[in-house]
Amino acid sequence: MSSNADSLANSVWTRPPRSRGGQPALSRGQIVRAAIELLDEKGLDGLSMRRLGSRLAAGATSAYWHVATKDELLELALDEVMGEIEVPEAGAADWRTAAAALAHGLRAMILRHPWVTGLFGVRPAVGPNAMRMSDRVVGVLTAAGFSGMQVAYASSLLMSHAIGSATTEAAWRRSIAPSGKTADEVVDEMRPYIDELASRYPNYGAWWRENNAINVDAMQDDNFAFGVERLLDGLQSWLDRDAGDRHDAGRP
Amino acid sequence: MSSNADSLANSVWTRPPRSRGGQPALSRGQIVRAAIELLDEKGLDGLSMRRLGSRLAAGATSAYWHVATKDELLELALDEVMGEIEVPEAGAADWRTAAAALAHGLRAMILRHPWVTGLFGVRPAVGPNAMRMSDRVVGVLTAAGFSGMQVAYASSLLMSHAIGSATTEAAWRRSIAPSGKTADEVVDEMRPYIDELASRYPNYGAWWRENNAINVDAMQDDNFAFGVERLLDGLQSWLDRDAGDRHDAGRP
DNA sequence: CCGTCGCTCGTACAGTGTTCGAGCAACGCA
DNA sequence: TGCGTTGCTCGAACACTGTACGAGCGACGG
């Protein structure tokens, strides 16, 4: 819930972790780490406060002293994994490779922790690690020559692509995971069904008849890389084209 | 649960006239529609099977005869709202405006039904309406000159941007919704907190000092539109550049 | 020695998704 | 006409969820 009016100003991030004197058998960091383990193993639905308690060899509700609510715990977990993403500092590499590194890093993190896809749409990611990442990106893009709102727009474009793409990918992986088969095996088994679909959707059908020999896993990587390159091309050409009159741009 | 996806396409979407046996006070379409209403009003957590039952003036578990599980109901709801997106047919407009229409339509749908952001990452959207949309996009992009895997990559790029962008946007809106204030009011109230943040993150801080007079709502629209244009520029230049040797492309 | 503080945890409550089976209305067939 | 079958609804029950509350415990300052 936490529906405080000043939602951002008094969220988890402004409140220091509680722990002082006694013998804190539990700490906030420890709880968050255990929660991430559970989430990685069993997904978003697999995390319950009771389960978390027993994994920590603690009572079912002990975590509630360190963390106000389960949502808040998820927010902390999200920011924690956000910290795994590395973005080069502004001057360390040319901006295209730095931006590409951000996109690929963000995607890789999401695929490592697929449960974050269920969190991105709920509360904005504004924890310290997310902020650190934003800061780096702003630095890189400013150094590249973007200015004003275009800095924000370009950074949002990069992250949106990574989030959207990896979300779709995660959904696909999750749907084949319980079968225990590889992606290619699953596609092979689905061929009759896909053929039937292709017969009902003309454009898709025509495409499928010429492109049904695919290596699914390699395709996912290529797909993402292709998107990143096109997107960087688009940003690059914007940079080249309007090098002079960028002041009132943004509303074409 | 592999859920036979032809279920919706068949007879359930038939109108009130009659289905078969007794007096079916409930139908699948009716259930899905009521679920969407509830989801729009109260969000993903606001939908419970009991609440759905009572909104339909039916028993708490009556829906379970028409729908195997709550997840399946959500899948149906997702595909239903997917049907709201319009994509022009292949020849109806030049490909850039058609592609832009898809992206904007998808974003608008997500902002109208923000709960879908919690669904995209869970199961792939492969219902009939999603397929119809994919089919249109494939048609548009093929006519534009893309071929082979690039058709799939380009379409995925468009949709990823819309999904990622709207997901982030939906999160932001949700975080300010309970306060009842406008986005700009919230930003104004958050200014001290943001200033404090800006002092701790150098690049972001420098940017913020020059760009703190923003109209948040207009910015969201511009942000998305900017991304779509950059992305289409990138695709366009790929189209122009490799007009001849596109056969083995995709792995640069 | 006592009080207080930091912290844990058992219990309880309202709510969840889903299963099961009893029950009812209408139909096809005898 | 009667009967069995089928399509559908729904109340009760089960195992589980997030969270509030308060009793209790160990360590510390006075």
Side-chain angles (χ1 to χ4, degrees), chain B residues 25-53:
Chain B
L26 250 39
S27 79
R28 188 184 258 191
Q30 198 181 149
I31 291 171
V32 172
R33 237 173 296 128
I36 291 175
E37 278 178 35
L38 232 32
L39 288 163
D40 286 345
E41 289 171 23
K42 320 204 183 226
L44 205 47
D45 302 337
L47 173 69
S48 82
M49 297 306 274
R50 290 170 184 27
R51 192 129 61 175
L52 179 63

PDB file of all heavy atoms in Angstrom, chain B residues 25-53:
ATOM      1  N   ALA B  25     -26.368 -18.216 -17.713  1.00  0.00           N
ATOM      2  CA  ALA B  25     -26.331 -16.840 -17.245  1.00  0.00           C
ATOM      3  C   ALA B  25     -24.948 -16.240 -17.430  1.00  0.00           C
ATOM      4  O   ALA B  25     -24.773 -15.046 -17.336  1.00  0.00           O
ATOM      5  CB  ALA B  25     -26.725 -16.786 -15.769  1.00  0.00           C
ATOM      6  N   LEU B  26     -23.969 -17.087 -17.674  1.00  0.00           N
ATOM      7  CA  LEU B  26     -22.600 -16.629 -17.849  1.00  0.00           C
ATOM      8  C   LEU B  26     -22.061 -17.102 -19.198  1.00  0.00           C
ATOM      9  O   LEU B  26     -22.440 -18.167 -19.681  1.00  0.00           O
ATOM     10  CB  LEU B  26     -21.726 -17.223 -16.744  1.00  0.00           C
ATOM     11  CG  LEU B  26     -21.187 -16.297 -15.654  1.00  0.00           C
ATOM     12  CD1 LEU B  26     -22.213 -15.270 -15.257  1.00  0.00           C
ATOM     13  CD2 LEU B  26     -20.781 -17.116 -14.449  1.00  0.00           C
ATOM     14  N   SER B  27     -21.216 -16.277 -19.770  1.00  0.00           N
ATOM     15  CA  SER B  27     -20.506 -16.733 -20.959  1.00  0.00           C
ATOM     16  C   SER B  27     -19.066 -16.274 -20.836  1.00  0.00           C
ATOM     17  O   SER B  27     -18.751 -15.372 -20.059  1.00  0.00           O
ATOM     18  CB  SER B  27     -21.120 -16.140 -22.225  1.00  0.00           C
ATOM     19  OG  SER B  27     -20.680 -14.807 -22.398  1.00  0.00           O
ATOM     20  N   ARG B  28     -18.222 -16.882 -21.585  1.00  0.00           N
ATOM     21  CA  ARG B  28     -16.813 -16.560 -21.455  1.00  0.00           C
ATOM     22  C   ARG B  28     -16.535 -15.092 -21.781  1.00  0.00           C
ATOM     23  O   ARG B  28     -15.812 -14.404 -21.065  1.00  0.00           O
ATOM     24  CB  ARG B  28     -15.998 -17.464 -22.377  1.00  0.00           C
ATOM     25  CG  ARG B  28     -14.529 -17.327 -22.150  1.00  0.00           C
ATOM     26  CD  ARG B  28     -13.744 -18.148 -23.133  1.00  0.00           C
ATOM     27  NE  ARG B  28     -13.248 -19.384 -22.519  1.00  0.00           N
ATOM     28  CZ  ARG B  28     -12.355 -20.159 -23.106  1.00  0.00           C
ATOM     29  NH1 ARG B  28     -11.909 -19.879 -24.300  1.00  0.00           N
ATOM     30  NH2 ARG B  28     -11.929 -21.237 -22.503  1.00  0.00           N
ATOM     31  N   GLY B  29     -17.154 -14.635 -22.866  1.00  0.00           N
ATOM     32  CA  GLY B  29     -16.947 -13.239 -23.234  1.00  0.00           C
ATOM     33  C   GLY B  29     -17.400 -12.290 -22.140  1.00  0.00           C
ATOM     34  O   GLY B  29     -16.722 -11.306 -21.833  1.00  0.00           O
ATOM     35  N   GLN B  30     -18.527 -12.605 -21.560  1.00  0.00           N
ATOM     36  CA  GLN B  30     -19.056 -11.784 -20.482  1.00  0.00           C
ATOM     37  C   GLN B  30     -18.093 -11.743 -19.304  1.00  0.00           C
ATOM     38  O   GLN B  30     -17.851 -10.692 -18.705  1.00  0.00           O
ATOM     39  CB  GLN B  30     -20.373 -12.426 -20.058  1.00  0.00           C
ATOM     40  CG  GLN B  30     -21.289 -11.546 -19.263  1.00  0.00           C
ATOM     41  CD  GLN B  30     -22.558 -12.339 -18.900  1.00  0.00           C
ATOM     42  OE1 GLN B  30     -23.155 -12.104 -17.878  1.00  0.00           O
ATOM     43  NE2 GLN B  30     -22.906 -13.305 -19.742  1.00  0.00           N
ATOM     44  N   ILE B  31     -17.551 -12.901 -18.983  1.00  0.00           N
ATOM     45  CA  ILE B  31     -16.615 -12.987 -17.864  1.00  0.00           C
ATOM     46  C   ILE B  31     -15.368 -12.163 -18.145  1.00  0.00           C
ATOM     47  O   ILE B  31     -14.904 -11.389 -17.300  1.00  0.00           O
ATOM     48  CB  ILE B  31     -16.246 -14.456 -17.602  1.00  0.00           C
ATOM     49  CG1 ILE B  31     -17.465 -15.197 -17.050  1.00  0.00           C
ATOM     50  CG2 ILE B  31     -15.079 -14.565 -16.651  1.00  0.00           C
ATOM     51  CD1 ILE B  31     -17.272 -16.689 -16.954  1.00  0.00           C
ATOM     52  N   VAL B  32     -14.848 -12.324 -19.354  1.00  0.00           N
ATOM     53  CA  VAL B  32     -13.638 -11.585 -19.709  1.00  0.00           C
ATOM     54  C   VAL B  32     -13.895 -10.087 -19.654  1.00  0.00           C
ATOM     55  O   VAL B  32     -13.085  -9.315 -19.131  1.00  0.00           O
ATOM     56  CB  VAL B  32     -13.136 -12.006 -21.106  1.00  0.00           C
ATOM     57  CG1 VAL B  32     -12.004 -11.102 -21.561  1.00  0.00           C
ATOM     58  CG2 VAL B  32     -12.683 -13.451 -21.091  1.00  0.00           C
ATOM     59  N   ARG B  33     -15.042  -9.678 -20.154  1.00  0.00           N
ATOM     60  CA  ARG B  33     -15.357  -8.252 -20.155  1.00  0.00           C
ATOM     61  C   ARG B  33     -15.450  -7.709 -18.724  1.00  0.00           C
ATOM     62  O   ARG B  33     -14.917  -6.654 -18.413  1.00  0.00           O
ATOM     63  CB  ARG B  33     -16.663  -8.014 -20.906  1.00  0.00           C
ATOM     64  CG  ARG B  33     -16.510  -7.043 -22.075  1.00  0.00           C
ATOM     65  CD  ARG B  33     -17.785  -6.963 -22.898  1.00  0.00           C
ATOM     66  NE  ARG B  33     -18.100  -8.241 -23.524  1.00  0.00           N
ATOM     67  CZ  ARG B  33     -19.278  -8.866 -23.444  1.00  0.00           C
ATOM     68  NH1 ARG B  33     -20.245  -8.334 -22.748  1.00  0.00           N
ATOM     69  NH2 ARG B  33     -19.464 -10.014 -24.058  1.00  0.00           N
ATOM     70  N   ALA B  34     -16.112  -8.454 -17.876  1.00  0.00           N
ATOM     71  CA  ALA B  34     -16.226  -8.016 -16.483  1.00  0.00           C
ATOM     72  C   ALA B  34     -14.856  -7.975 -15.818  1.00  0.00           C
ATOM     73  O   ALA B  34     -14.558  -7.066 -15.030  1.00  0.00           O
ATOM     74  CB  ALA B  34     -17.155  -8.951 -15.721  1.00  0.00           C
ATOM     75  N   ALA B  35     -14.031  -8.932 -16.145  1.00  0.00           N
ATOM     76  CA  ALA B  35     -12.683  -8.954 -15.570  1.00  0.00           C
ATOM     77  C   ALA B  35     -11.918  -7.706 -15.988  1.00  0.00           C
ATOM     78  O   ALA B  35     -11.232  -7.078 -15.166  1.00  0.00           O
ATOM     79  CB  ALA B  35     -11.942 -10.214 -16.008  1.00  0.00           C
ATOM     80  N   ILE B  36     -12.039  -7.329 -17.241  1.00  0.00           N
ATOM     81  CA  ILE B  36     -11.337  -6.140 -17.725  1.00  0.00           C
ATOM     82  C   ILE B  36     -11.844  -4.891 -17.009  1.00  0.00           C
ATOM     83  O   ILE B  36     -11.061  -4.023 -16.615  1.00  0.00           O
ATOM     84  CB  ILE B  36     -11.493  -6.013 -19.253  1.00  0.00           C
ATOM     85  CG1 ILE B  36     -10.717  -7.144 -19.941  1.00  0.00           C
ATOM     86  CG2 ILE B  36     -10.994  -4.663 -19.746  1.00  0.00           C
ATOM     87  CD1 ILE B  36     -10.904  -7.193 -21.431  1.00  0.00           C
ATOM     88  N   GLU B  37     -13.144  -4.805 -16.812  1.00  0.00           N
ATOM     89  CA  GLU B  37     -13.689  -3.673 -16.060  1.00  0.00           C
ATOM     90  C   GLU B  37     -13.042  -3.579 -14.678  1.00  0.00           C
ATOM     91  O   GLU B  37     -12.576  -2.522 -14.259  1.00  0.00           O
ATOM     92  CB  GLU B  37     -15.191  -3.835 -15.886  1.00  0.00           C
ATOM     93  CG  GLU B  37     -16.033  -3.404 -17.077  1.00  0.00           C
ATOM     94  CD  GLU B  37     -17.515  -3.656 -16.802  1.00  0.00           C
ATOM     95  OE1 GLU B  37     -17.932  -3.496 -15.639  1.00  0.00           O
ATOM     96  OE2 GLU B  37     -18.215  -4.033 -17.743  1.00  0.00           O
ATOM     97  N   LEU B  38     -13.038  -4.710 -14.013  1.00  0.00           N
ATOM     98  CA  LEU B  38     -12.462  -4.752 -12.672  1.00  0.00           C
ATOM     99  C   LEU B  38     -10.982  -4.381 -12.695  1.00  0.00           C
ATOM    100  O   LEU B  38     -10.492  -3.625 -11.837  1.00  0.00           O
ATOM    101  CB  LEU B  38     -12.650  -6.165 -12.112  1.00  0.00           C
ATOM    102  CG  LEU B  38     -13.282  -6.368 -10.742  1.00  0.00           C
ATOM    103  CD1 LEU B  38     -14.299  -5.291 -10.433  1.00  0.00           C
ATOM    104  CD2 LEU B  38     -13.949  -7.731 -10.686  1.00  0.00           C
ATOM    105  N   LEU B  39     -10.280  -4.900 -13.667  1.00  0.00           N
ATOM    106  CA  LEU B  39      -8.853  -4.613 -13.776  1.00  0.00           C
ATOM    107  C   LEU B  39      -8.620  -3.131 -14.038  1.00  0.00           C
ATOM    108  O   LEU B  39      -7.710  -2.516 -13.464  1.00  0.00           O
ATOM    109  CB  LEU B  39      -8.242  -5.454 -14.896  1.00  0.00           C
ATOM    110  CG  LEU B  39      -8.105  -6.946 -14.600  1.00  0.00           C
ATOM    111  CD1 LEU B  39      -7.888  -7.739 -15.872  1.00  0.00           C
ATOM    112  CD2 LEU B  39      -6.958  -7.184 -13.627  1.00  0.00           C
ATOM    113  N   ASP B  40      -9.429  -2.551 -14.903  1.00  0.00           N
ATOM    114  CA  ASP B  40      -9.274  -1.127 -15.186  1.00  0.00           C
ATOM    115  C   ASP B  40      -9.543  -0.293 -13.936  1.00  0.00           C
ATOM    116  O   ASP B  40      -8.882   0.716 -13.695  1.00  0.00           O
ATOM    117  CB  ASP B  40     -10.225  -0.713 -16.308  1.00  0.00           C
ATOM    118  CG  ASP B  40      -9.757  -1.203 -17.675  1.00  0.00           C
ATOM    119  OD1 ASP B  40      -8.586  -1.604 -17.780  1.00  0.00           O
ATOM    120  OD2 ASP B  40     -10.560  -1.191 -18.625  1.00  0.00           O
ATOM    121  N   GLU B  41     -10.523  -0.723 -13.159  1.00  0.00           N
ATOM    122  CA  GLU B  41     -10.892   0.065 -11.987  1.00  0.00           C
ATOM    123  C   GLU B  41      -9.912  -0.101 -10.824  1.00  0.00           C
ATOM    124  O   GLU B  41      -9.545   0.864 -10.173  1.00  0.00           O
ATOM    125  CB  GLU B  41     -12.284  -0.341 -11.490  1.00  0.00           C
ATOM    126  CG  GLU B  41     -13.423   0.102 -12.394  1.00  0.00           C
ATOM    127  CD  GLU B  41     -14.744  -0.518 -11.965  1.00  0.00           C
ATOM    128  OE1 GLU B  41     -14.862  -0.892 -10.783  1.00  0.00           O
ATOM    129  OE2 GLU B  41     -15.633  -0.664 -12.824  1.00  0.00           O
ATOM    130  N   LYS B  42      -9.538  -1.340 -10.571  1.00  0.00           N
ATOM    131  CA  LYS B  42      -8.792  -1.597  -9.340  1.00  0.00           C
ATOM    132  C   LYS B  42      -7.422  -2.206  -9.547  1.00  0.00           C
ATOM    133  O   LYS B  42      -6.764  -2.579  -8.573  1.00  0.00           O
ATOM    134  CB  LYS B  42      -9.603  -2.529  -8.428  1.00  0.00           C
ATOM    135  CG  LYS B  42     -11.093  -2.224  -8.423  1.00  0.00           C
ATOM    136  CD  LYS B  42     -11.775  -2.705  -7.156  1.00  0.00           C
ATOM    137  CE  LYS B  42     -13.259  -2.460  -7.224  1.00  0.00           C
ATOM    138  NZ  LYS B  42     -13.846  -1.869  -6.022  1.00  0.00           N
ATOM    139  N   GLY B  43      -6.993  -2.367 -10.775  1.00  0.00           N
ATOM    140  CA  GLY B  43      -5.657  -2.886 -11.006  1.00  0.00           C
ATOM    141  C   GLY B  43      -5.569  -4.392 -10.883  1.00  0.00           C
ATOM    142  O   GLY B  43      -6.549  -5.077 -10.568  1.00  0.00           O
ATOM    143  N   LEU B  44      -4.374  -4.874 -11.113  1.00  0.00           N
ATOM    144  CA  LEU B  44      -4.164  -6.323 -11.162  1.00  0.00           C
ATOM    145  C   LEU B  44      -4.516  -6.993  -9.836  1.00  0.00           C
ATOM    146  O   LEU B  44      -5.125  -8.064  -9.808  1.00  0.00           O
ATOM    147  CB  LEU B  44      -2.698  -6.591 -11.513  1.00  0.00           C
ATOM    148  CG  LEU B  44      -2.342  -7.912 -12.177  1.00  0.00           C
ATOM    149  CD1 LEU B  44      -3.275  -8.231 -13.320  1.00  0.00           C
ATOM    150  CD2 LEU B  44      -0.911  -7.898 -12.639  1.00  0.00           C
ATOM    151  N   ASP B  45      -4.157  -6.361  -8.726  1.00  0.00           N
ATOM    152  CA  ASP B  45      -4.473  -6.953  -7.422  1.00  0.00           C
ATOM    153  C   ASP B  45      -5.957  -6.845  -7.094  1.00  0.00           C
ATOM    154  O   ASP B  45      -6.447  -7.548  -6.215  1.00  0.00           O
ATOM    155  CB  ASP B  45      -3.686  -6.246  -6.311  1.00  0.00           C
ATOM    156  CG  ASP B  45      -2.199  -6.322  -6.544  1.00  0.00           C
ATOM    157  OD1 ASP B  45      -1.764  -7.241  -7.260  1.00  0.00           O
ATOM    158  OD2 ASP B  45      -1.484  -5.464  -6.015  1.00  0.00           O
ATOM    159  N   GLY B  46      -6.633  -5.961  -7.782  1.00  0.00           N
ATOM    160  CA  GLY B  46      -8.034  -5.743  -7.474  1.00  0.00           C
ATOM    161  C   GLY B  46      -8.958  -6.792  -8.048  1.00  0.00           C
ATOM    162  O   GLY B  46     -10.144  -6.818  -7.736  1.00  0.00           O
ATOM    163  N   LEU B  47      -8.426  -7.631  -8.894  1.00  0.00           N
ATOM    164  CA  LEU B  47      -9.253  -8.688  -9.480  1.00  0.00           C
ATOM    165  C   LEU B  47      -9.130  -9.967  -8.666  1.00  0.00           C
ATOM    166  O   LEU B  47      -8.068 -10.563  -8.609  1.00  0.00           O
ATOM    167  CB  LEU B  47      -8.821  -8.970 -10.922  1.00  0.00           C
ATOM    168  CG  LEU B  47      -9.508 -10.169 -11.580  1.00  0.00           C
ATOM    169  CD1 LEU B  47     -10.976  -9.889 -11.822  1.00  0.00           C
ATOM    170  CD2 LEU B  47      -8.825 -10.563 -12.864  1.00  0.00           C
ATOM    171  N   SER B  48     -10.214 -10.346  -8.036  1.00  0.00           N
ATOM    172  CA  SER B  48     -10.241 -11.663  -7.398  1.00  0.00           C
ATOM    173  C   SER B  48     -11.444 -12.420  -7.940  1.00  0.00           C
ATOM    174  O   SER B  48     -12.430 -11.810  -8.362  1.00  0.00           O
ATOM    175  CB  SER B  48     -10.330 -11.536  -5.884  1.00  0.00           C
ATOM    176  OG  SER B  48     -11.659 -11.320  -5.475  1.00  0.00           O
ATOM    177  N   MET B  49     -11.365 -13.700  -7.922  1.00  0.00           N
ATOM    178  CA  MET B  49     -12.433 -14.510  -8.500  1.00  0.00           C
ATOM    179  C   MET B  49     -13.750 -14.277  -7.762  1.00  0.00           C
ATOM    180  O   MET B  49     -14.816 -14.260  -8.371  1.00  0.00           O
ATOM    181  CB  MET B  49     -12.036 -15.977  -8.461  1.00  0.00           C
ATOM    182  CG  MET B  49     -10.819 -16.297  -9.298  1.00  0.00           C
ATOM    183  SD  MET B  49     -10.955 -15.753 -11.012  1.00  0.00           S
ATOM    184  CE  MET B  49     -11.791 -17.139 -11.762  1.00  0.00           C
ATOM    185  N   ARG B  50     -13.670 -14.091  -6.469  1.00  0.00           N
ATOM    186  CA  ARG B  50     -14.898 -13.827  -5.714  1.00  0.00           C
ATOM    187  C   ARG B  50     -15.522 -12.492  -6.131  1.00  0.00           C
ATOM    188  O   ARG B  50     -16.735 -12.383  -6.332  1.00  0.00           O
ATOM    189  CB  ARG B  50     -14.600 -13.814  -4.226  1.00  0.00           C
ATOM    190  CG  ARG B  50     -14.253 -15.208  -3.636  1.00  0.00           C
ATOM    191  CD  ARG B  50     -13.753 -14.990  -2.235  1.00  0.00           C
ATOM    192  NE  ARG B  50     -13.261 -16.076  -1.420  1.00  0.00           N
ATOM    193  CZ  ARG B  50     -12.714 -17.223  -1.731  1.00  0.00           C
ATOM    194  NH1 ARG B  50     -12.617 -17.604  -2.966  1.00  0.00           N
ATOM    195  NH2 ARG B  50     -12.251 -18.041  -0.831  1.00  0.00           N
ATOM    196  N   ARG B  51     -14.661 -11.483  -6.237  1.00  0.00           N
ATOM    197  CA  ARG B  51     -15.166 -10.171  -6.619  1.00  0.00           C
ATOM    198  C   ARG B  51     -15.759 -10.218  -8.030  1.00  0.00           C
ATOM    199  O   ARG B  51     -16.799  -9.623  -8.301  1.00  0.00           O
ATOM    200  CB  ARG B  51     -14.022  -9.158  -6.563  1.00  0.00           C
ATOM    201  CG  ARG B  51     -14.475  -7.746  -6.654  1.00  0.00           C
ATOM    202  CD  ARG B  51     -13.916  -6.855  -5.564  1.00  0.00           C
ATOM    203  NE  ARG B  51     -12.460  -6.759  -5.573  1.00  0.00           N
ATOM    204  CZ  ARG B  51     -11.776  -5.947  -4.762  1.00  0.00           C
ATOM    205  NH1 ARG B  51     -12.404  -5.194  -3.884  1.00  0.00           N
ATOM    206  NH2 ARG B  51     -10.468  -5.915  -4.802  1.00  0.00           N
ATOM    207  N   LEU B  52     -15.078 -10.928  -8.889  1.00  0.00           N
ATOM    208  CA  LEU B  52     -15.583 -11.086 -10.247  1.00  0.00           C
ATOM    209  C   LEU B  52     -16.949 -11.749 -10.222  1.00  0.00           C
ATOM    210  O   LEU B  52     -17.885 -11.326 -10.904  1.00  0.00           O
ATOM    211  CB  LEU B  52     -14.596 -11.928 -11.056  1.00  0.00           C
ATOM    212  CG  LEU B  52     -14.962 -12.235 -12.501  1.00  0.00           C
ATOM    213  CD1 LEU B  52     -15.049 -10.958 -13.316  1.00  0.00           C
ATOM    214  CD2 LEU B  52     -13.960 -13.198 -13.115  1.00  0.00           C
ATOM    215  N   GLY B  53     -17.077 -12.795  -9.422  1.00  0.00           N
ATOM    216  CA  GLY B  53     -18.359 -13.477  -9.311  1.00  0.00           C
ATOM    217  C   GLY B  53     -19.460 -12.539  -8.874  1.00  0.00           C
ATOM    218  O   GLY B  53     -20.531 -12.492  -9.482  1.00  0.00           O
TER     219      GLY B  53
END
